[in-house]
Amino acid sequence: MSEVSPVKHALVVDDDGVFVEQFTRILKRLGYVVSEARDGMAALDLCRHQKFEVAIIDIRMPRLNGISFVSNVKRMSPDALSKIIFVTSIDDSTLRQDAKSAGGSVFLVKPVTAEALITAVTGNAPNLERRVVSDSAASASAIDTARDSFARQGIMTTLGATLAKIAPGTCEITLPYRAALSQQHGFFHAGVVSTIADSAAGYAAFSLFPAGSSVLTVEFKINLLAPADGESLRATGRVIKQGRTLTICEMQAFITKSGEEKLCAHGMSTLICLKDSSSLQAG
């Protein structure tokens, strides 16, 4: 009679459904029974009734962030979480230290490859650490290249846009209002909203491209959800799926008025990686 393997439980806590789906799929392939939560409070309830061999936890979440969630779990049930893997879109040294202090075994920066997650879960930490160091150096170089590329965009200078944040797979562009950017009602023109959203998606993708490559938009679709009526505009781009040639990104635009920010546009973009074409010129 064959021996029955013990059931392994894993917890995925992330407010982004795309990453929840990705992490859950990989964990199930590794033989885990997976529980999901979209914020720290919901995850806390799950930990009252179940112990987890592995927990993949986003750091930045509404209601209760990942690090606070872990602290609360440890006070409530110290052995509820065995291996803690923190994930985040922002590679920040302070966040890394906070994650380590909270008991994190591994710190991964989104977008997370299947290889990196499997390595983290299965415990091959030395190989993971070596690869992460190498990846971090490559990412820093790619981000510097992206900043240089942004500075050469004449349209961004014309609009007055600023590359506010960029990290591997994510980008944020900000733009203050002025009358020259308006349409007939005095709102930000839809073309302006679309332009900085397109660039945010483009540089999110570009931040992951190999050295010596260039980025071009293949297509994008944007839905204008509310009038861009406010003092400032913020566009974000985030890689959803990276392929060898084409990368799919989500792009969003937010308008701020009287201190309140709301989503005013949402879209998807397809970018192409042109390898060995860093000197690509118009004409």
Side-chain angles (χ1 to χ4, degrees), residues 68-170:
S68 297
F69 156 67
V70 171
S71 298
N72 276 273
V73 171
K74 286 187 173 182
R75 286 194 296 268
M76 179 182 71
S77 179
D79 59 347
L81 304 175
S82 297
K83 173 176 282 188
I84 299 169
I85 300 170
F86 281 114
V87 296
T88 180
S89 298
I90 306 298
D91 189 1
D92 178 84
S93 58
T94 301
L95 274 183
R96 283 182 178 271
Q97 184 57 50
D98 290 346
K100 183 177 181 180
S101 299
S105 303
V106 183
F107 182 101
L108 298 175
V109 178
K110 297 177 181 177
V112 180
T113 65
E115 177 191 3
L117 188 62
I118 290 170
T119 304
V121 171
T122 56
N124 195 3
N127 288 342
L128 177 65
E129 289 301 322
R130 284 197 292 270
R131 207 195 78 257
V132 166
V133 170
S134 175
D135 285 354
S136 296
S139 295
S141 176
I143 287 170
D144 287 342
T145 301
R147 290 188 182 279
D148 290 342
S149 174
F150 182 89
R152 295 196 302 272
Q153 279 212 354
I155 186 61
M156 293 294 111
T157 301
T158 298
L159 293 176
T162 300
L163 182 61
K165 296 178 184 177
I166 186 164
T170 64

Side-chain angles (χ1 to χ4, degrees), residues 15 50-51 110 139-140 178 215 223 228 234 240 244 268:
D15 60 332
Q50 180 64 56
K51 294 181 180 179
K110 297 177 181 177
S139 295
R178 68 180 195 275
V215 61
N223 294 307
R234 180 172 69 92
I240 299 297
R244 292 181 181 178
M268 300 294 291

